[in-house]
């Protein structure tokens, strides 16, 4: 025991002993005084009472400190321990149950059936319990030869040209010391040219994403095009063995140098121990006697490494893979539901933007107040919230609408929208309806920005994010001011707003001309003919 700690213990013992002696001395004196002045019985009762009180105090202190040390306690409220599955397979089962509930909300029948089929495949993998090993790499790396050598029998065409493995072919074998059956899948080659090559690569990636263990086969140093898929597989949590095949084609010095470079290049993705060299199908050569000799495949480094990994991590690999697949399937389901909700919410925004534009077209108001009000509509907020499973009352919807309206005004987006719309309409619209058209189309534009902002708000569980409402609104304004979008929006606006407005104005003018002179209203302002041009120019400047 260290000397400082020993001295501390001795000092604490001496202090405790001194306190005990002092306490006993005080109790003895108290007992003697009470027994002398009153009676021995009363003195005994008093000492007993003091001993009980001291014992209760010590017990209370001990119990209190035990409570403080108990984990999971939160001051002021009862601690809630989250439900944690005992094993990863239970977590995967819970994910699959949640996925089935999500799938019921997916409207696309094809997508829904595909997710259900994949969920059944994952459940079958859980029940089967075999270890899935996928052989992955370019078509020229010798994947099929590696499978042949591992399985110990012909599993395909050895030495066939690139692209002959059209689909994943699976073969089974057993390894000594491994209780589970191994299922080895040969995949199409990656990095092949053409549409067919792209399709086969996608199939290979899908098979690799479902594997418990991946054998990433190379025939030389790692190229950048091969590094990318290896990194992607590592990022989604896949355990890989990098297999340097065809080492019989290299001198020993070159082979060792390539192995060292491979271990450096995959550092951080694959352990150095998981980079092995093999010769799955050694080249024939002629002996001095003239006999052609076929060497046996050298697969032992790979077999030993597979066996070591599976003995140490086999159960975890299976559990991790099943959990990973169930989580990935859950992400797919959430993405489908999110896309479905966004389509529905976009329809709500589009409907309200043209409703607002139509109302403003026939009811002109002061520009800034009008646009700030028309840009956000409480009923639109309520309908978007309902799509995302949120129930809002009208007061809360008005509060959100007002907050966004203030943000639009404070960021100068109202003025920015008016400028964008004005420039676009002046190129397409002429005549006396231009002013009203600018108001109406700008209102539709602002309503769209507001609606898109609210979609982001409800998509993220009623959270504006770290940048707050201003960042969301500003981002939506930037996304909706691109030239391609503005042209399409204005074209749609002309058809929906400007042309009906033009017809309405023309009909109103025709009706006024047809009205008898004695029934026509008096003008609110009459200007002498010689001052009309001056007044008109002033009016245009104010507008």
């Amino acid at each position: 025991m260290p000397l400082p700690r020993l001295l501390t213990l001795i000092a604490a013992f001496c202090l405790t002993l001194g306190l005990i002696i002092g306490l006993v001395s005080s109790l003895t004196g108290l007992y003697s005084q009470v027994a002398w002045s009153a009676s021995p019985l009363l003195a005994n009762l008093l000492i007993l009472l003091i001993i009980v009180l001291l014992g209760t105090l010590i017990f209370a202190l001990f119990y209190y400190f035990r409570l403080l040390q108990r984990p999971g306690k939160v001051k002021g409220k009862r601690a809630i321990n989250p439900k944690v599955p005992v094993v990863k397979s239970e977590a995967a089962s819970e994910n699959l149950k949640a996925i089935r509930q999500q799938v019921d909300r997916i409207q696309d029948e094809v997508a829904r059936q595909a997710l259900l089929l994949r969920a059944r495949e994952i459940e079958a993998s859980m029940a089967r319990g075999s270890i899935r090993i996928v052989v992955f790499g370019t078509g020229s790396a010798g994947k099929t030869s590696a499978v042949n050598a591992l399985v110990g029998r012909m599993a395909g065409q050895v030495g066939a040209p690139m692209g002959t493995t059209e689909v994943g072919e699976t073969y089974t074998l057993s390894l000594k010391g491994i209780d589970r059956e191994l299922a080895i899948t040969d995949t199409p080659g990656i990095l092949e040219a053409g549409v067919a090559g792209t399709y086969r690569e996608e199939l290979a990636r899908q098979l690799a994403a479902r594997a418990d263990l991946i054998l990433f086969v190379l025939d030389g140093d790692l190229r950048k095009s091969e590094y990318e898929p290896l990194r992607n597989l590592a990022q989604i949590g896949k355990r890989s063995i990098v297999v340097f095949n065809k080492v019989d084609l290299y001198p020993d010095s070159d082979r060792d140098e390539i192995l060292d470079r491979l271990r450096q290049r995959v550092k951080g993705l694959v352990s150095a121990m998981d980079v092995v060299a093999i010769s799955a199908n050694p080249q024939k050569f002629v002996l001095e006697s003239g006999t052609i000799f076929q060497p046996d495949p050298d697969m032992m480094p790979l077999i030993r490494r597979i066996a070591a990994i599976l003995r140490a991590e086999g159960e975890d690999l299976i559990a991790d893979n099943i959990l990973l697949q169930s989580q990935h399937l859950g992400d797919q389901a959430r993405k489908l539901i999110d896309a479905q909700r966004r389509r529905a919410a976009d329809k709500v925004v589009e409907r309200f933007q043209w409703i607002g534009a139509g109302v403003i077209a026939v009811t002109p108001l002061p520009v800034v107040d009008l646009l700030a009000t028309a840009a956000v509509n409480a009923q639109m907020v309520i309908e978007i919230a309902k799509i995302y499973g949120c129930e809002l009352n009208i007061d809360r919807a008005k509060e959100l609408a007002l907050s966004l309206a203030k943000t639009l005004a404070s960021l100068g987006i109202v003025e920015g929208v008016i400028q964008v719309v004005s420039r676009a309409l002046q190129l397409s619209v002429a005549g006396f309806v231009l002013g009203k058209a600018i108001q109406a189309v700008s209102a539709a534009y602002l309503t769209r920005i507001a609606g898109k902002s609210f979609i982001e708000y409800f998509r993220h569980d009623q959270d504006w994010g770290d940048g707050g409402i201003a960042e969301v609104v500003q981002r939506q304004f930037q996304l909706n001011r691109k030239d391609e979008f503005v042209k399409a929006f204005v074209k749609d606006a002309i058809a929906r707003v400007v042309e009906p407005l033009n017809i309405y104005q023309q009909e109103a003018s025709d009706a006024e001309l047809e009205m008898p002179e004695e029934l026509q209203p008096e003008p609110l302002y009459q200007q002498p003919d010689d001052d009309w041009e001056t007044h008109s120019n002033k009016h245009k400047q104010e507008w």
Side-chain angles (χ1 to χ4, degrees):
M1 181 181 294
L3 181 60
R5 186 175 181 183
L6 180 61
L7 294 175
T8 302
L9 288 176
I10 294 174
F13 176 76
C14 294
L15 178 62
T16 304
L17 183 61
L19 291 174
I20 292 174
I21 294 173
L23 178 63
V24 171
S25 177
S26 299
L27 290 177
T28 302
L30 179 64
Y31 177 82
S32 300
Q33 184 177 0
V34 173
W36 176 263
S37 60
S39 66
L41 178 61
L42 182 61
N44 289 332
L45 290 175
L46 180 61
I47 295 300
L48 179 61
L49 179 61
I50 292 173
I51 292 173
V52 170
L53 290 175
L54 288 174
T56 303
L57 178 62
I58 293 172
F59 176 78
L61 290 173
F62 177 76
Y63 182 74
Y64 176 74
F65 284 111
R66 286 291 301 272
L67 284 179
L68 289 180
Q69 295 174 357
R70 189 171 297 175
K73 288 293 180 180
V74 179
K75 185 177 180 180
K77 59 181 180 181
R78 184 180 178 183
I80 300 175
N81 294 323
K83 182 181 178 182
V84 180
V86 179
V87 292
K88 295 172 184 176
S89 59
E90 291 183 5
S93 298
E94 292 182 3
N95 283 345
L96 292 174
K97 290 179 183 178
I99 290 168
R100 292 186 182 279
Q101 296 176 353
Q102 290 176 323
V103 166
D104 293 337
R105 301 184 344 231
I106 297 176
Q107 298 173 355
D108 188 336
E109 181 66 22
V110 175
R112 183 167 64 247
Q113 292 301 325
L115 287 176
L116 288 174
L117 176 61
R118 185 70 193 112
R120 287 192 288 267
E121 290 177 355
I122 295 175
E123 290 173 341
S125 297
M126 295 172 63
R128 183 172 60 250
S130 60
I131 300 175
R132 298 192 63 178
I133 300 176
V134 167
V135 184
F136 188 82
T138 62
S140 63
K143 299 189 298 8
T144 302
S145 298
V147 173
N148 292 342
L150 282 173
V151 176
R153 61 185 177 84
M154 295 301 292
Q157 290 183 306
V158 180
M162 291 176 60
T164 56
T165 306
E166 297 290 341
V167 295
E169 300 170 357
T170 302
Y171 310 93
T172 59
L173 73 155
S174 300
L175 278 178
K176 186 178 180 180
I178 307 298
D179 296 332
R180 294 181 181 271
E181 187 179 64
L182 308 184
I184 297 184
T185 301
D186 188 13
T187 63
I190 63 173
L191 307 177
E192 297 177 11
V195 176
T198 302
Y199 169 76
R200 287 194 292 268
E201 179 171 345
E202 180 60 29
L203 174 61
R205 289 175 182 268
Q206 291 177 5
L207 292 169
R210 299 173 186 177
D212 300 315
L213 180 64
I214 296 171
L215 307 183
F216 199 105
V217 182
L218 308 170
D219 59 357
D221 199 0
L222 184 67
R223 294 171 291 181
K224 183 178 180 180
S225 56
E226 294 171 317
Y227 178 82
E228 293 298 328
L230 178 63
R231 184 183 63 180
N232 293 338
L233 291 171
Q235 286 177 342
I236 64 173
K238 291 299 173 182
R239 178 67 182 273
S240 299
I241 299 177
V242 174
V243 182
F244 174 25
N245 192 16
K246 303 183 181 181
V247 294
D248 57 295
L249 302 180
Y250 298 89
D252 291 346
S253 59
D254 291 347
R255 179 192 62 190
D256 294 339
E257 183 180 348
I258 293 174
L259 270 175
D260 290 340
R261 283 205 303 265
L262 281 174
R263 292 185 174 114
Q264 288 297 322
R265 295 188 195 282
V266 301
K267 189 176 182 180
L269 303 179
V270 178
S271 169
M273 298 177 62
D274 291 336
V275 180
V276 298
I278 65 167
S279 180
N281 186 26
Q283 294 292 312
K284 301 175 184 179
F285 60 90
V286 181
L287 299 176
E288 292 180 359
S289 61
T291 305
I292 298 176
F293 179 71
Q294 173 67 64
D296 293 331
D298 181 14
M299 302 295 295
M300 288 311 298
L302 177 58
I303 293 173
R304 284 195 293 265
R305 191 57 195 154
I306 292 175
I309 290 175
L310 296 185
R311 289 193 188 104
E313 310 171 32
E315 299 302 316
D316 282 338
L317 287 177
I318 295 173
D320 287 341
N321 184 37
I322 291 174
L323 181 58
L324 181 65
Q325 290 187 59
S326 66
Q327 291 172 342
H328 179 66
L329 193 62
D331 291 339
Q332 286 182 304
R334 283 187 288 273
K335 287 179 181 177
L336 287 171
I337 293 173
D338 182 60
Q340 177 179 297
R341 286 172 167 174
R342 291 201 70 165
R343 288 192 296 270
D346 285 342
K347 290 181 180 179
V348 171
V349 173
E350 185 174 0
R351 174 159 53 88
F352 274 90
Q353 72 186 21
W354 299 126
I355 289 174
V359 170
I360 292 170
V362 297
T363 313
L365 295 171
V367 177
V368 175
D369 292 343
L370 161 70
L371 296 177
T373 303
V376 284
N377 186 293
Q379 186 60 36
M380 179 180 69
V381 178
I382 291 174
E383 293 192 22
I384 294 175
K386 190 177 297 184
I387 291 173
Y388 284 90
C390 305
E391 294 294 333
L392 294 184
N393 56 35
I394 189 65
D395 292 334
R396 175 57 179 160
K398 288 180 178 178
E399 179 183 342
L400 287 171
L402 180 59
S403 176
L404 200 140
K406 291 179 179 178
T407 303
L408 285 169
S410 64
L411 294 176
I413 291 179
V414 174
E415 292 81 358
V417 166
I418 294 174
Q419 293 175 4
V420 171
V421 171
S422 299
R423 285 196 299 267
L425 284 178
Q426 285 173 356
L427 299 176
S428 306
V429 179
F432 55 88
V433 299
L434 179 60
K436 286 187 177 180
I438 291 174
Q439 292 188 54
V441 177
S442 297
Y445 202 112
L446 285 167
T447 302
R448 180 182 181 84
I449 293 173
K452 293 288 187 178
S453 300
F454 281 123
I455 289 175
E456 292 301 308
Y457 173 71
F458 289 110
R459 278 187 68 219
H460 295 91
D461 298 325
Q462 302 183 62
D463 185 6
W464 290 113
D466 295 337
I469 185 173
E471 182 177 321
V472 175
V473 172
Q474 190 70 43
R475 182 169 62 249
Q476 291 302 320
F477 175 56
Q478 296 300 328
L479 289 173
N480 287 274
R481 68 180 301 178
K482 297 179 180 178
D483 291 341
E484 296 79 7
F485 169 76
V486 173
K487 291 177 182 177
F489 184 84
V490 170
K491 182 179 178 181
D492 199 10
I494 290 173
R496 293 173 178 268
V497 178
V498 178
E499 290 180 357
L501 179 62
N502 203 353
I503 294 173
Y504 170 79
Q505 293 279 15
Q506 189 62 46
E507 290 177 350
S509 299
D510 294 344
E512 185 177 348
L513 291 174
E514 295 174 359
M515 186 181 299
E517 185 176 351
E518 59 274 9
L519 296 179
Q520 291 185 9
E522 292 291 331
L524 295 178
Y525 174 80
Q526 290 185 346
Q527 181 73 15
D529 293 341
D530 54 350
D531 292 339
W532 169 249
E533 185 176 353
T534 302
H535 169 72
S536 178
N537 291 334
K538 179 181 178 183
H539 177 71
K540 290 179 180 178
Q541 291 175 359
E542 291 176 351
W543 174 248

